[in-house]
Amino acid sequence: MSADTTTAESQPLFTGLPSGIVPYVAILGALASTYVHLSMAPMLLQLNQTQAILFVLAGVGFLAGIAVYLSKFWRREFYLVAIAFALAQIVAWVVMSGRVSEMAMLSKGGEAVFSVAAAYLYLNESPDADGAA
């Protein structure tokens, strides 16, 4: 067993709350999008089951990302995956000619804010840093 493996195994699952304001801005952006996706999924279920499932997956994806971010499993490279995930939500809304509404603006605004905050964190976190805190 290497020293890195031993250190990772002895680290608690939850690494603590992040420091600074930018991680909280990112988390709030993700939660805004999560709220919209999960609250609209039941209404969509009556109209389009596939779209409702995609809404649930989008919401759960953001929640899972936050959980991983706050855990010992987070790695700096995941910021790039998270940014791509959030931007894909915006692109999908545009491609599908999404309706402009308050909920859409909350969701897309949250995703845009999240993407900018995550890019900032990626660019300003040292490449050898482990964990979110």
Side-chain angles (χ1 to χ4, degrees):
M1 217 184 258
S2 71
D4 289 338
T5 306
T6 305
T7 304
E9 289 175 1
S10 65
Q11 189 179 31
L13 177 62
F14 177 69
T15 57
L17 296 176
S19 60
I21 186 101
V22 179
Y24 293 100
V25 169
I27 290 170
L28 284 174
L31 288 175
S33 182
T34 299
Y35 167 75
V36 171
H37 283 95
L38 293 182
S39 66
M40 291 188 69
M43 292 183 300
L44 286 171
L45 193 55
Q46 299 170 6
L47 304 172
N48 185 330
Q49 188 176 11
T50 302
Q51 192 172 10
I53 291 169
L54 291 173
F55 267 55
V56 169
L57 290 175
V60 170
F62 278 114
L63 290 177
I66 292 168
V68 172
Y69 178 68
L70 298 173
S71 78
K72 68 180 181 179
F73 301 110
W74 184 257
R75 300 295 174 260
R76 180 174 177 260
E77 295 78 19
F78 292 168
Y79 286 119
L80 300 176
V81 175
I83 293 165
F85 180 75
L87 292 177
Q89 307 297 316
I90 297 170
V91 169
W93 180 75
V94 171
V95 168
M96 295 179 72
S97 301
R99 192 170 65 90
V100 176
S101 67
E102 290 176 4
M103 293 293 266
M105 292 301 98
L106 176 61
S107 177
K108 301 312 129 195
E111 292 153 8
V113 166
F114 171 82
S115 297
V116 170
Y120 174 87
L121 291 167
Y122 175 76
L123 294 171
N124 289 288
E125 187 176 285
S126 63
D128 59 345
D130 283 340

